């Protein structure tokens, strides 16, 4: 039970950090045109939110009092709910052990239901089911893209391998391929579309998306992770 609670706390802390840092992006950087900086910021805050819960802030004090004070307050906040959970576990453990006299006189009685464990198990069960669903969805998407590459006709234009898709969807790229609706191949804007997708290919944006989609599968309950993917 203690390990399960630590997992829940870790997910809570990661989500809270991600929410704060993404809201900073929405307020200060969303409308800026420093696209590469924004790209690395969005990827960086995902990685940082996963690592922060593992970081200990119990180190030697520095020279900046304000920073030290903020770190102490954050550390005290983290310790407070760890101590609260330990108190709950201690009480639950003591209450689950009946006195000897009670055992003798109530041998036929059933033991009380441990609702705390049941709730924790149910939450983790729902969480794991969500992870499996989103990982499966990502694998299905990758498999579908692979089938599209092998099924539809391809043309190399301006150094880009273009897959002519029959569905009138928006153009997109994935690794070395640009997926473009076949009716757009004869339009005047085709060179502009290919140039746009070529930038995505050269900067390997597909790796960014796969990485964030994988993390999103583990933080699927946090609605801001999906907005972050759209921003990216």
């Amino acid at each position: 039970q203690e390990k399960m609670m630590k997992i829940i706390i870790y997910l809570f802390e990661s989500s809270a950090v991600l929410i704060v840092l993404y809201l900073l992006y929405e307020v200060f950087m969303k409308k800026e045109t420093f696209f590469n900086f924004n790209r690395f910021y969005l990827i960086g805050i995902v990685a940082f939110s996963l690592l922060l819960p593992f970081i200990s802030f119990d180190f030697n004090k520095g020279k900046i009092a304000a920073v030290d004070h903020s770190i102490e307050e954050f550390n005290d906040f983290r310790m407070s709910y760890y101590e609260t959970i330990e108190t709950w576990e201690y009480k639950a453990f003591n209450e689950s052990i009946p006195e000897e006299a009670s055992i003798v006189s109530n041998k036929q009685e059933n033991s009380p239901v441990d609702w705390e464990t049941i709730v924790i198990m149910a939450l983790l069960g729902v969480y794991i089911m969500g992870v499996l669903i989103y990982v499966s969805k990502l694998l299905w998407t990758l498999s579908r893209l692979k089938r599209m590459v092998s099924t539809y006709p391809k043309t190399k234009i301006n150094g880009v391998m273009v897959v002519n898709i029959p569905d009138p969807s928006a153009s997109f790229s994935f690794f070395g391929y640009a997926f473009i609706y076949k009716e757009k191949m004869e339009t005047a804007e085709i060179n502009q579309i290919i140039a746009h997708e070529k930038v995505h290919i050269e900067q390997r944006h597909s790796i960014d998306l796969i990485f964030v989609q994988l993390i999103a599968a583990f933080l699927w309950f946090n609605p801001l992770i999906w907005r972050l993917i759209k921003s990216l």
Side-chain angles (χ1 to χ4, degrees):
Q1 184 174 334
E2 183 180 354
K3 290 182 179 179
M4 291 186 290
M5 283 303 302
K6 286 182 178 179
I7 293 172
I8 292 174
I9 290 172
Y10 169 77
L11 294 172
F12 167 77
E13 285 192 342
S14 294
S15 297
V17 172
L18 186 63
I19 288 171
V20 171
L21 295 178
Y22 181 73
L23 290 177
L24 289 176
Y25 167 82
E26 285 280 328
V27 174
F28 297 107
M29 289 176 278
K30 184 177 181 179
K31 296 181 179 180
E32 299 296 330
T33 55
F34 302 107
F35 297 121
N36 276 331
F37 177 81
N38 287 358
R39 170 194 176 192
F40 289 115
Y41 177 84
L42 290 171
I43 297 171
I45 64 175
V46 172
F48 182 73
S49 67
L50 296 175
L51 294 174
L52 184 64
F54 293 111
I55 298 175
S56 172
F57 292 89
D58 186 18
F59 45 74
N60 294 330
K61 293 187 176 182
K63 297 180 179 179
I64 304 176
V67 173
D68 286 336
H69 183 66
S70 298
I71 290 174
E72 285 178 2
E73 286 187 343
F74 179 72
N75 210 29
D76 290 343
F77 172 72
R78 293 179 74 187
M79 290 306 297
S80 66
Y81 58 76
Y82 279 116
E83 290 171 357
T84 301
I85 289 169
E86 287 177 359
T87 302
W88 289 346
E89 291 174 350
Y90 176 77
K91 288 182 178 179
F93 177 75
N94 284 340
E95 291 172 0
S96 66
I97 302 177
E99 296 180 0
E100 184 178 351
S102 177
I103 295 175
V104 173
S105 61
N106 300 295
K107 287 182 179 180
Q108 303 302 322
E109 292 185 5
N110 295 325
S111 59
V113 178
D114 188 353
W115 288 109
E116 183 182 350
T117 301
I118 292 173
V119 170
I120 292 173
M121 291 292 291
L123 288 174
L124 283 179
V126 172
Y127 168 73
I128 292 172
M129 186 179 298
V131 171
L132 293 176
I133 289 173
Y134 284 107
V135 169
S136 299
K137 183 179 178 182
L138 175 60
L139 293 175
W140 179 85
T141 301
L142 296 176
S143 176
R144 182 169 180 265
L145 289 170
K146 184 178 179 181
R147 289 198 305 271
M148 291 171 68
V149 170
S150 60
T151 302
Y152 300 135
K154 296 176 284 294
T155 308
K156 195 165 188 176
I157 304 175
N158 297 335
V160 177
M161 186 62 71
V162 178
V163 180
N164 302 317
I165 58 177
D167 303 316
S169 60
S171 303
F172 65 96
S173 60
F174 189 73
F175 284 99
Y177 297 92
F179 297 79
I180 301 175
Y181 178 41
K182 63 181 181 180
E183 299 295 331
K184 290 185 178 180
M185 297 299 295
E186 306 299 328
T187 62
E189 61 181 353
I190 184 59
N191 288 330
Q192 183 179 356
I193 294 173
I194 292 174
H196 177 86
E197 299 304 334
K198 188 175 183 178
V199 172
H200 288 294
I201 293 171
E202 290 176 344
Q203 295 190 359
R204 294 178 172 83
H205 288 170
S206 299
I207 297 176
D208 302 350
L209 290 174
I210 290 177
F211 169 72
V212 177
Q213 287 277 3
L214 275 174
I215 302 305
F218 290 92
L219 297 177
W220 60 265
F221 54 88
N222 185 343
L224 284 189
I225 190 68
W226 305 107
R227 288 196 58 168
L228 186 147
I229 290 174
K230 290 184 69 175
S231 299
L232 187 61

